[in-house]
Structures are given as structure tokens and as C-alpha cells.
Amino acid sequence: MLIGDFARLGQVSVRMLRHYDQIGLLKPDSVDVWSSYRSYSPEQLSVLNRLVALKDLGLSLEQVRRVLADPVGVDELHGMLRLRRAELENEMRAAGTRLAAVESRLRMIEKENEMSADYVVKPVPAVRLAAVTDTLDPAELGQHIGPMFDQVQSRLDAAHASLTTPIATYAETEAGMDVVVGYAYDGAPLPGLNLIDLSAATAVCGVHLGPMSRIGESWQALHRWVAENKYEYAGPCRELYVRAESQDQQDWVTELQQPVQRA
């Protein structure tokens, strides 16, 4: 097969095949001594497929050379590719979260001169949570809160416990954001979960409608109201997820609760 035909078969460019030839990664099966035309055999397709797959895994060309010298089996290569696919999917989710955060910050800037929404100061009851805790980078909350809820839910499901009152709390620290994620629970301790008691409090409360990617805007507006009305913070902020069933989060309803006291 001439180089153009082999390039089409392997779904790569002729330029790339010439480059692989020059660096000794994939030599043509034969080269015409008069015309210098490169020819490849169909059997070389398996080498090309592995070469491209290894590059897509993130290996350098020198690393690819070493791996090809010790041939990788099909099952092992499939495993490597599945692992790389999972890594890329995680990178895409992280990039999507960062993009949503940038868009949210831009909307915050646009709303800086708008009047604060209506809020209510009311008592919120004490509640015990079956929960997991972690200290997270505030910029990465969106990547972790859902999986944390899934972890709690799976353990509560196994205990046939209620999942009707999901709550998360957030407290800023020097190390990051201390997060508690769980469900209201009044049973015995469960393996893998902490029992966290949230005290009764007086809180400034508001409602956030829609996806979690925009909840930062709602929190910033609430915190501005707290400052404008001369309250002091009296504990970690809380999110009570009143409705949180749909996958796209468009109809989600979240009550924001910031415990406060008079300055």
C-alpha cells in the first residue's frame, strides 16, 4: 500500500507517517530505490493503532518506543485506554465546573449594583445529620458535593433510613472549606457515617432556584444583605435542598440559611 492509502486506512496524516518513519517508530515495509515511494503492508496497521493509542494515553514518543519494543496485549491496551478515558472524563467535568464558576463570577460582577432580594430572619430547628465530612478547595465544591451525597445515600439506603431532608453546611477555614453533607437522621450510628448535630439558630434565609452552578450568586447576594443590615455570622451557612430530583437541576429549590446574631 502506498503511503496515502495506508494513511487513510489508519486514519492518520501522511505527514505523521513520514514523521514516524524519520524517528524510527514505524518504518515502511519497503521503499522504492528509484522513486523513494514508501509502501506499507496491511499487517503494519496493528502497530500503527497501538502507536496512536499509546500517544492518546499521554505517553511521549520515546515512551511509546519503549512500550512497542515490549508489545502490549490487547486486553492490557484496552485497560489502559479505559483508564485514560476515565481520566479525560474527569478532566472535562473539572473544566466544566471551572467554566461555570467563571460565568457565575461574571454574573456576580454584573449584579454588584443591584438591590438585594427579600430575605427573612427566622428560627431554624436543631437537626442531627448522618453525614460525611471533608475539607475542600472552594473552587472545586461542585465536583465533590454530589458524590458525597451519593455516598451518604447508599449507606442510608442499606439501613432503610429516610432521605427526605438533605442538608449541607459550609465553613471557611485556613485549610479550605469544611463541608458537612448528609440527611436528617434519628437512628443509631451507621458504619462510615458521622452523626453531626446542628444547633437551633436564628438565620437569615433565602431561596435559590435552579442549578447549583449559580448558587454562589445567591449566596453573595444574601451575604451582602447580612452586611447591609448589620448582622454578624453565628455559625456555618447551611443549604437545605427542598427539591433536588431532576438531573439538569433547572427545577431545584434550595433554602439558604445563614445563622446570625445582632451586631
Side-chain angles (χ1 to χ4, degrees), residues 1-3 5-7 9-10 26-30 39-50:
M1 302 178 68
L2 293 178
I3 189 170
D5 297 328
F6 188 68
L9 177 65
L26 181 59
K27 290 288 187 181
D29 187 56
S30 64
S39 296
Y40 294 81
S41 68
E43 289 74 19
Q44 289 181 283
L45 180 62
S46 63
V47 178
L48 178 61
N49 282 338
R50 282 161 174 74

Side-chain angles (χ1 to χ4, degrees), residues 26-242:
L26 181 59
K27 290 288 187 181
D29 187 56
S30 64
V31 179
D32 188 276
V33 294
W34 299 108
S35 65
S36 297
Y37 283 172
R38 297 171 172 85
S39 296
Y40 294 81
S41 68
E43 289 74 19
Q44 289 181 283
L45 180 62
S46 63
V47 178
L48 178 61
N49 282 338
R50 282 161 174 74
L51 193 164
V52 174
L54 292 167
K55 273 190 58 189
D56 288 343
L57 283 169
L59 275 66
S60 68
L61 289 177
E62 186 55 39
Q63 291 171 321
V64 170
R65 186 192 310 277
R66 291 197 295 269
V67 172
L68 289 178
D70 183 16
V72 177
V74 172
D75 290 342
E76 185 179 358
L77 189 59
H78 280 174
M80 295 167 69
L81 287 172
R82 283 193 293 268
L83 178 61
R84 180 56 177 161
R85 180 176 63 188
E87 291 173 347
L88 290 173
E89 288 172 347
N90 288 335
E91 291 172 7
M92 289 174 62
R93 281 193 292 269
T97 299
R98 289 195 295 272
L99 178 59
V102 170
E103 293 173 342
S104 179
R105 186 65 60 174
L106 289 172
R107 287 190 293 268
M108 291 180 195
I109 293 171
E110 293 168 356
K111 295 177 180 178
E112 284 175 348
N113 296 319
E114 293 183 9
M115 294 294 291
S116 297
D118 291 331
Y119 300 99
V120 60
V121 180
K122 67 177 185 179
V124 293
V127 60
R128 170 169 287 184
L129 301 179
V132 292
T133 65
D134 204 349
T135 300
L136 303 172
D137 182 338
E140 298 178 354
L141 292 178
Q143 302 173 46
H144 298 282
I145 301 304
M148 290 173 72
F149 267 117
D150 291 341
Q151 181 182 345
V152 179
Q153 181 177 344
S154 65
R155 296 186 182 278
L156 291 178
D157 278 340
H160 306 291
S162 171
L163 297 171
T164 57
T165 311
I167 295 175
T169 74
Y170 303 89
E172 294 179 356
T173 67
E174 290 292 332
M177 187 75 75
D178 285 350
V179 178
V180 175
V181 166
Y183 291 83
Y185 177 75
D186 59 4
L190 293 171
L193 297 180
N194 302 308
L195 295 182
I196 305 292
D197 288 310
L198 303 183
S199 301
T202 297
V204 176
C205 299
V207 174
H208 170 75
L209 302 175
M212 292 297 100
S213 61
R214 302 188 64 166
I215 200 167
E217 302 162 49
S218 297
W219 271 118
Q220 187 171 91
L222 186 147
H223 290 314
R224 285 176 58 193
W225 190 94
V226 169
E228 291 166 0
N229 288 273
K230 303 188 185 307
Y231 283 96
E232 291 181 349
Y233 299 117
C237 62
R238 308 175 186 180
E239 293 177 357
L240 169 62
Y241 304 99
V242 179

